[in-house]
Amino acid sequence: LAKTTQPISMDSYEGQEVNITCSHNNIATNDYITWYQQFPSQGPRFIIQGYKTKVTNEVASLFIPADRKSSTLSLPRVSLSDTAVYYCLVGDPGTYKYIFGTGTRLKVLA
Amino acid sequence: NAGVTQTPKFQVLKTGQSMTLQCAQDMNHEYMSWYRQDPGMGLRLIHYSVGAGITDQGEVPNGYNVSRSTTEDFPLRLLSAAPSQTSVYFCASSPGDEQFFGPGTRLTVL
């Protein structure tokens, strides 16, 4: 199973774009990259998933370079309510065995 | 849809006691899993299931049993509770990509 490495914490200001990078050097051919958000005392919530290049939805973008050994979650114009822990996961949807890393604690400041 | 439900929300056990944490989903998802989250840490996969009658071990399976007799239910059994099992337990279900998490069960073992 591919392990992931993320920064432990980040600070940002409201209205800024935030980019959180995840390293996954051992990613396998069938693995997808998924990001989750977790608020205190709640279960994680799905943000975005991708395999390669760029994926965008209504809340975030996910950039994956050609070698797929890293990925970057981009949150446009963050607000105070985006303060949370963000997890990068790498896994094969066919096996359903996903391993969470330690996550990145994002703090958005006014 | 109720989504993923977990009972109880809180539980206190004495060392050596056994109990079952309940998890149910009404989305007809094939995949279900159990995670534990210790304070300030990421989630660790305990057991998972890719369909009724099929279960497999995750990262930290020792001390826990699971069964999957129906698509809807995936109970987690603690055989003989230990203080090291004090944690928040999250159940999740998935159609294959995005995981939907329950609200969690906060377990304290004295």
Side-chain angles (χ1 to χ4, degrees):
Chain A
L1 290 166
K3 286 200 134 184
T4 60
T5 303
Q6 305 172 232
I8 293 174
S9 64
M10 296 178 69
D11 288 346
S12 181
Y13 288 95
E14 280 190 293
Q16 288 188 330
E17 178 184 74
V18 170
N19 295 311
I20 306 174
T21 298
C22 179
S23 291
H24 27 80
N25 291 320
N26 298 329
I27 190 168
T29 303
N30 292 335
D31 286 345
Y32 279 66
I33 299 148
T34 313
W35 286 81
Y36 284 84
Q37 175 192 56
Q38 187 181 28
F39 297 112
S41 301
Q42 295 185 24
R45 186 173 68 175
F46 174 89
I47 301 173
I48 197 165
Q49 184 181 75
Y51 184 80
K52 61 181 179 180
T53 63
K54 177 184 174 182
V55 180
T56 297
N57 62 23
E58 61 275 9
V59 298
S61 295
L62 178 59
F63 299 92
I64 306 167
D67 66 6
R68 305 201 325 123
K69 292 185 185 299
S70 67
S71 58
T72 299
L73 174 73
S74 181
L75 304 172
R77 297 180 300 281
V78 294
S79 64
L80 296 176
S81 62
D82 293 315
T83 293
V85 179
Y86 292 81
Y87 293 98
C88 164
L89 280 70
V90 171
D92 181 349
T95 67
Y96 190 53
K97 194 167 184 177
Y98 291 102
I99 303 298
F100 278 77
T102 51
T104 297
R105 194 171 298 271
L106 172 66
K107 186 173 183 180
V108 180
L109 306 167
Chain B
N1 281 353
V4 179
T5 57
Q6 293 183 238
T7 56
K9 284 188 169 50
F10 301 93
Q11 183 69 49
V12 178
L13 292 177
K14 293 181 180 177
T15 297
Q17 287 184 316
S18 63
M19 81 158 294
T20 299
L21 278 62
Q22 301 292 343
C23 175
Q25 53 98 3
D26 61 359
M27 297 174 281
N28 202 33
H29 291 164
E30 286 299 318
Y31 301 114
M32 296 187 74
S33 55
W34 276 101
Y35 294 87
R36 61 176 287 176
Q37 185 171 35
D38 299 330
M41 305 289 287
L43 283 78
R44 290 186 290 171
L45 182 64
I46 305 172
H47 286 285
Y48 65 102
S49 169
V50 298
I54 306 169
T55 63
D56 205 348
Q57 296 181 349
E59 299 174 90
V60 289
N62 293 340
Y64 307 94
N65 271 359
V66 291
S67 60
R68 184 96 180 271
S69 56
T70 67
T71 300
E72 295 77 21
D73 300 300
F74 191 43
L76 177 73
R77 281 182 287 279
L78 279 71
L79 309 172
S80 177
S84 61
Q85 294 179 304
T86 293
S87 191
V88 179
Y89 291 83
F90 289 102
C91 177
S93 74
S94 172
D97 44 21
E98 174 181 354
Q99 292 191 74
F100 295 82
F101 284 83
T105 293
R106 189 174 295 272
L107 176 67
T108 301
V109 183
L110 303 175

